[in-house]
Amino acid sequence: MKGKLSNRNFTRRNSTRSAAAAIAAAVTTSVLVIPAASPASAQSRSPIGVAINSVDSTCKHNGRNYIVRQYFRGVQRYTLRCGTTTWGWKHIKLRHGWNAGMDGKINNAIANGAPNGRGGFSIYTNQCPPVERFRTIIGTPAGLNDVLTAYNVTNLASARKC
């Protein structure tokens, strides 16, 4: 049925087609609003690799490029290699100490920390101004996604402004 309304032509739609179109739109919309897996769930992965208590013996028998731990930030993988006294696991052990606590802090900083402007990720306190408590630096001669170093930050001058 055709008619005129304010000098415009209009056509009456078939109510069955309109209902089908509405259902199709609702199904499409419902598919779009179903949340995908959150990045936080992907970040909760534990670090993988050589057991913490056997990293020392593993690095004694393997070269500096041997990967001993893997950490994840979403789907991005970061590795800790045996390294040397200036980067990697050997550097961290020599300069900052290595144990399960250090391994957990590295994992937390990479998975949940804020970018720190040094090519890595840091954990900050939840105060104003936030104070940096732990830092990782990424990028070694062996790879761009390798842990160069990781350490507790004790210098309060490193705090960002609110």
Side-chain angles (χ1 to χ4, degrees), residues 10 12 16 74 77 82-83 88 124-125 150:
F10 68 92
R12 187 176 202 176
T16 306
R77 179 180 75 134
C82 287
Y124 295 88
T125 59

Side-chain angles (χ1 to χ4, degrees), residues 48-51 55 58-59 66-70 80-82 89:
I48 57 175
V50 176
V55 173
T58 300
C59 285
Y66 189 84
I67 296 172
V68 291
R69 305 294 283 161
Q70 296 178 61
L80 177 62
R81 297 178 188 266
C82 287
W89 179 81

Side-chain angles (χ1 to χ4, degrees), residues 148-161:
L148 176 78
T149 190
Y151 53 92
N152 292 313
V153 176
T154 57
N155 181 3
L156 296 180
S158 66
R160 299 179 305 186
K161 302 219 186 263

Side-chain angles (χ1 to χ4, degrees), residues 39-158:
S41 66
Q43 294 174 359
S44 63
R45 251 192 266 189
S46 295
I48 57 175
V50 176
I52 291 173
N53 57 359
S54 66
V55 173
D56 192 32
S57 62
T58 300
C59 285
K60 283 180 185 175
H61 297 87
N62 291 288
R64 66 185 188 169
N65 292 328
Y66 189 84
I67 296 172
V68 291
R69 305 294 283 161
Q70 296 178 61
Y71 305 96
F72 296 90
R73 185 175 182 91
V75 296
Q76 183 65 48
R77 179 180 75 134
Y78 295 88
T79 55
L80 177 62
R81 297 178 188 266
C82 287
T84 68
T85 57
T86 59
W87 61 271
W89 179 81
K90 288 180 181 178
H91 167 77
I92 294 170
K93 180 183 178 199
L94 178 68
R95 297 283 309 262
H96 311 292
W98 176 258
N99 57 29
M102 178 61 83
D103 185 51
K105 287 179 181 180
I106 294 170
N107 184 52
N108 186 35
I110 290 174
N112 305 310
N116 59 23
R118 301 276 318 264
F121 306 98
S122 293
I123 298 296
Y124 295 88
T125 59
N126 190 17
Q127 66 186 41
C128 185
V131 177
E132 185 179 22
R133 290 295 184 198
F134 188 81
R135 177 184 295 166
T136 63
I137 299 177
I138 308 294
T140 70
L144 296 176
N145 283 346
D146 290 344
V147 177
L148 176 78
T149 190
Y151 53 92
N152 292 313
V153 176
T154 57
N155 181 3
L156 296 180
S158 66

